[in-house]
Amino acid sequence: MAGSVFLIPTFLYDHAVETIPLYVLDAVKQCHVFFVENERTARRHLKLLWREMVIDDYKWFTIHKAEEEVQKIFTQLLKEGNNIGIISEAGCPGIADPGQVLVNAAQKIGSTVKPLVGPSSILLALMASGMNGQRFQFTGYLPIESGERKTVLKELENESSKKKCTQIFIETPYRNNQLIKQITETCKPQTQLCVAVDITAQTETIVTKTIAEWKNQLPDIHKRLAIFLLYSS
């Protein structure tokens, strides 16, 4: 009988232990093997959840981009009856995360996949933004080149207006301020922009304003973890 796959959520911030439900620990204790995005941080995460855990008693594999060889090892271990935990670098496995490739492999061989509740910056930001939660789209990273990024921003804004859809995207922390500046220079004054920073940390701020309002005082969120939401009515 094939083993089960447990999608184990992680903290968005190390000290936010309270964001992980207690039943996640019960799932961890059922696993024999862990496939993780980053072994060092995954080990630290699990030790925070379960101090008595003997890390070296378990098998560890790094997902990277879930290359073909990794998928073969993963599938074979499941077929041998091992329960496997998948751990993302932050948040929920399978959401904007390479773990989704392994989940797909598990589905193909008929393994039970158990998603576990935990913090997702995408959903938490959307919940607090006041924007449309009935229809939304996560785009991931926007293009780095300024001209391409401007084009994509206009496309996202137009699509939001046409479909009443909330557009959600992220940026590398050291380019946050450049992105906000370009958004305010590109989008219409009445379009809404939510800037959600340090979600679940004590420094968390989630603020929604129109582009016109943001222009009056651009925030300085250089090198802070942020997620952006755009809505044009």
Side-chain angles (χ1 to χ4, degrees), residues 55-192:
I55 294 292
D56 293 334
D57 286 352
Y58 301 84
K59 293 180 180 179
W60 297 83
F61 297 89
T62 304
I63 296 173
H64 295 303
K65 295 183 179 179
E67 297 90 341
E68 186 175 343
E69 184 62 27
V70 173
Q71 293 182 54
K72 287 181 179 178
I73 296 170
F74 174 81
T75 302
Q76 184 59 40
L77 286 166
L78 276 181
K79 288 180 177 179
E80 292 171 359
N82 293 283
N83 288 337
I84 298 178
I86 296 180
I87 304 177
S88 176
E89 178 67 358
C92 299
I95 305 298
D97 169 74
Q100 69 188 53
V101 178
L102 298 183
V103 175
N104 183 258
Q107 291 285 1
K108 286 180 179 178
I109 65 168
S111 287
T112 299
V113 177
K114 297 181 178 291
L116 305 174
V117 174
S120 164
S121 60
I122 298 170
L123 293 181
L124 292 173
L126 179 61
M127 289 164 63
S129 70
M131 297 179 180
N132 190 355
Q134 301 293 328
R135 179 174 292 180
F136 54 92
Q137 173 177 279
F138 178 66
T139 308
Y141 291 95
L142 301 188
I144 296 175
E145 197 278 318
S146 179
E148 290 181 35
R149 190 168 56 201
K150 181 177 180 180
T151 298
V152 170
L153 282 170
K154 292 298 294 182
E155 290 173 351
L156 291 176
E157 184 181 40
N158 290 336
E159 185 177 23
S160 175
S161 178
K162 182 179 178 180
K163 297 183 178 180
K164 305 303 178 189
C165 172
T166 300
Q167 305 285 6
I168 309 172
F169 46 92
I170 53 179
E171 181 54 283
T172 302
Y174 67 84
R175 287 199 291 263
N176 282 339
N177 288 351
Q178 296 167 255
L179 176 59
I180 293 175
K181 186 173 185 294
Q182 187 163 30
I183 292 172
T184 59
E185 291 172 348
T186 303
C187 295
K188 299 172 183 176
Q190 69 274 20
T191 293
Q192 294 183 75

